[in-house]
Amino acid sequence: MRFLTITLFTISLCLSISSESDEKSTADTNENNLPDDTMPVTHHHRHHRIRHGNVHRKRQPVCVNGKPVEGVCECELDYVGKHCEKKKNCQSYRRYKNGSCPECLKGYQGDYCEEIICYNGLPNTHHTECLCDDPYSGKHCDELETKRIYSYYNRKVFLLGPLGAISLIPMCAMYMICEYFARKRQVKRVGLMMEGQNINVQDRMLEKLLNNM
Ligand SMILES: *[C@@H]1O[C@H](CO)[C@@H](O)[C@H](O)[C@H]1NC(C)=O
């Protein structure tokens, strides 16, 4: 029965797909069979658009620290990137002709010292800021604040709390088992002692007595 429904389903699916492709092919032929006189019109329109495009369509780029020149950003001193959005972080004022510098400031890397280094964290997608791991902070995630460390450990302890409680349960169980056997031994010992003195006492009675002590 199930097999039958599956086959029926597959067949209907195939039919629907094939009919769709049929529609498409008919649409294609329709397009190809367009009357010839429409073609020059579209042709004309396209030319028109392109002619105006050089003035209007070519979008000027957004230059954060620079200005667009012929569709490309020309960056101000010490800025790089497609949108001049990255600052160079050079150690000195020396620059090579290509704009790179011999040495970067601490915490920066890259050809133009434009990439931030995150010592305990990860940089954002543009490598301009760090997302620090707990409990680190600071621009390069290399700072440890006492307050943050406290809150970090407080949170850790809070998380460990339930775990600690759970680990206490076996310990309690062990203690209780030990206690139980110790009491059993005690009962036996007292029983033996009393036997030695020819006093016959039932174990159960003795246990009750000792437990009430
Ligand atoms: C720029 O030039 C210097 C020295 O000529 C070279 O060491 C450096 O790799 C160049 N940087 C880039 C990004 O081309």
Side-chain angles (χ1 to χ4, degrees):
M1 192 59 197
R2 195 184 285 171
F3 176 72
L4 197 74
T5 48
I6 287 169
T7 28
L8 275 176
F9 179 73
T10 338
I11 287 167
S12 59
L13 202 70
C14 288
L15 280 176
S16 69
I17 286 168
S18 64
S19 68
E20 231 171 74
S21 60
D22 273 354
E23 267 168 43
K24 233 179 241 168
S25 61
T26 50
D28 282 350
T29 48
N30 272 351
E31 222 169 281
N32 289 342
N33 289 342
L34 275 174
D36 274 348
D37 57 355
T38 59
M39 286 304 283
V41 175
T42 51
H43 194 69
H44 178 75
H45 268 291
R46 223 175 276 154
H47 259 292
H48 199 66
R49 223 187 293 148
I50 287 168
R51 226 185 296 135
H52 279 269
N54 280 339
V55 188
H56 288 291
R57 205 145 121 246
K58 205 172 200 178
R59 282 224 199 108
Q60 296 287 15
V62 177
C63 306
V64 189
N65 296 290
K67 55 180 190 299
V69 177
E70 287 170 11
V72 186
C73 285
E74 205 167 74
C75 299
E76 285 166 21
L77 190 72
D78 268 356
Y79 284 95
V80 285
K82 202 175 171 194
H83 304 284
C84 307
E85 78 282 17
K86 289 171 180 171
K87 195 183 184 311
K88 294 183 201 171
N89 296 278
C90 298
Q91 180 80 263
S92 66
Y93 287 107
R94 261 190 76 202
R95 302 283 182 275
Y96 293 123
K97 267 183 196 159
N98 57 21
S100 74
C101 45
E103 244 181 302
C104 298
L105 283 176
K106 188 180 174 282
Y108 291 93
Q109 62 184 6
D111 287 339
Y112 300 99
C113 305
E114 79 283 20
E115 280 180 22
I116 201 164
I117 297 174
C118 305
Y119 294 99
N120 295 286
L122 289 171
N124 64 358
T125 44
H126 297 293
H127 289 266
T128 52
E129 275 170 49
C130 292
L131 304 166
C132 299
D133 297 335
D134 235 4
Y136 291 93
S137 61
K139 200 164 183 213
H140 303 276
C141 306
D142 54 349
E143 287 168 28
L144 279 172
E145 265 176 59
T146 336
K147 205 174 70 189
R148 287 193 62 135
I149 295 169
Y150 274 133
S151 74
Y152 174 71
Y153 281 106
N154 274 345
R155 250 174 294 141
K156 275 275 143 101
V157 167
F158 180 75
L159 273 177
L160 266 178
L163 272 181
I166 287 166
S167 70
L168 268 179
I169 291 169
M171 266 161 69
C172 283
M174 233 132 92
Y175 173 78
M176 270 152 82
I177 289 165
C178 284
E179 190 83 323
Y180 173 74
F181 280 110
R183 195 153 263 164
K184 266 243 158 117
R185 275 200 300 276
Q186 196 187 13
V187 171
K188 220 170 211 169
R189 220 181 314 132
V190 175
L192 279 174
M193 210 169 69
M194 286 188 163
E195 251 177 65
Q197 292 169 354
N198 280 333
I199 305 169
N200 260 338
V201 188
Q202 274 188 327
D203 271 2
R204 215 185 295 151
M205 283 291 288
L206 197 59
E207 204 168 340
K208 228 181 227 169
L209 257 174
L210 283 169
N211 278 352
N212 285 340
M213 266 178 9

